Amino acid sequence: MSLTFYYAPMSTASITQLVLAELDVPFEGVKLDIQKGETKKPDFVKLNPNAKIPTIVHDGAVIWESAAITMYLGETFGVDKGLYPAPGPKRGDAMKWIVWTNVTFGDAVGRWTRNTTSWYPAEQQNAKAGEAGLADVHNCLRILDDALDGKQFLLGSDYTLADTHTNSFVDWLRHMKMDLSKYAHLTAWGQRCAARPAYLKVMSGA
Ligand SMILES: N[C@@H](CCC(=O)N[C@@H](CS)C(=O)NCC(=O)O)C(=O)O
């Protein structure tokens, strides 16, 4: 088995890094420096024409988009380990949260940051669009908080890669110092996710 993981620290690839740590599968990591333009180099663009990380190559299969990677790694390595559901309704539930995170939640976070942070040129920003994005971020956080009411994890009592994926995305908001304390179920869930040995290992840089 061969598995190569292209990544950069403090990026969307952190989601995949946590997924790989949970699965405990061997891989070769290839670190790319976005600032130095390493994601734009022809050899990498041949693998991922979007020129973005995370990207994985598993036994010759090239997979990009973090949601697709989580689902692919989950079904390939996670079912036997109890970290990803077998095909069926629970699998659908996992896919729902992973795709929702990247598409609906990700879009709201993207509109908010694109219009309010210095990562993007001021002349391309629109304050009203930023406000609307932030309102939608909070709506997503409310949806997540409600979904976690009375549950240990997104799919019920067992931790799965849906939790790894979605919590890692919420980590971005924590990193940006967004106050999430009013989302009590989400906050408690985040603490449970952060207590996972794989999470602690990745965060300690081990
Ligand atoms: N939708 C993609 C987003 C990936 C993405 O935006 N990656 C950024 C880092 S966070 C990247 O590789 N940027 C490289 C560049 O813009 O040159 C996913 O979920 O995998």
Side-chain angles (χ1 to χ4, degrees):
M1 196 279 283
S2 91
L3 180 59
T4 309
F5 168 42
Y6 295 85
Y7 73 101
M10 296 296 290
S11 73
T12 312
S14 301
I15 296 177
T16 305
Q17 193 183 0
L18 286 163
V19 166
L20 286 165
E22 282 291 347
L23 291 168
D24 197 22
V25 283
F27 65 89
E28 184 205 347
V30 179
K31 187 169 161 181
L32 299 182
D33 189 326
I34 297 174
Q35 267 70 43
K36 285 192 183 148
E38 288 178 355
T39 46
K40 307 267 192 295
K41 289 202 169 155
D43 280 355
F44 182 68
V45 174
K46 256 188 237 159
L47 290 177
N48 184 349
N50 301 286
K52 292 199 191 305
I53 45 88
T55 294
I56 63 163
V57 183
H58 172 231
D59 288 343
V62 183
I63 317 286
W64 28 261
E65 284 297 330
S66 58
I69 295 172
T70 298
M71 294 188 286
Y72 176 83
L73 291 174
E75 62 184 54
T76 307
F77 302 107
V79 179
D80 291 349
K81 296 182 179 186
L83 283 164
Y84 200 71
K90 281 256 177 205
R91 166 81 58 97
D93 220 5
M95 292 163 72
K96 176 182 80 183
W97 283 112
I98 293 164
V99 173
W100 174 84
T101 297
N102 281 40
V103 177
T104 307
F105 195 8
D107 174 62
V109 172
R111 283 183 286 112
W112 171 51
T113 54
R114 179 169 285 279
N115 287 290
T116 57
T117 65
S118 57
W119 312 335
Y120 298 94
E123 66 275 15
Q124 291 176 20
Q125 296 188 324
N126 175 317
K128 289 273 174 227
E131 270 171 43
L134 182 58
D136 287 343
V137 170
H138 281 287
N139 190 43
C140 288
L141 290 166
R142 172 59 54 210
I143 289 168
L144 200 50
D145 195 56
D146 287 349
L148 288 160
D149 187 0
K151 268 195 259 163
Q152 290 289 298
F153 296 107
L154 283 171
L155 304 199
S157 50
D158 295 327
Y159 180 91
T160 68
L161 296 181
D163 299 290
T164 319
H165 191 99
T166 303
N167 184 61
S168 177
F169 189 83
V170 176
D171 270 348
W172 258 109
L173 301 179
R174 298 183 179 108
H175 177 72
M176 292 177 76
K177 307 270 181 268
M178 183 179 270
D179 180 9
L180 303 180
S181 56
K182 67 177 168 180
Y183 304 109
H185 309 300
L186 184 152
T187 300
W189 163 77
Q191 285 163 358
R192 287 191 284 276
C193 292
R196 301 272 308 169
Y199 185 97
L200 294 170
K201 193 173 162 195
V202 168
M203 292 305 151
S204 73

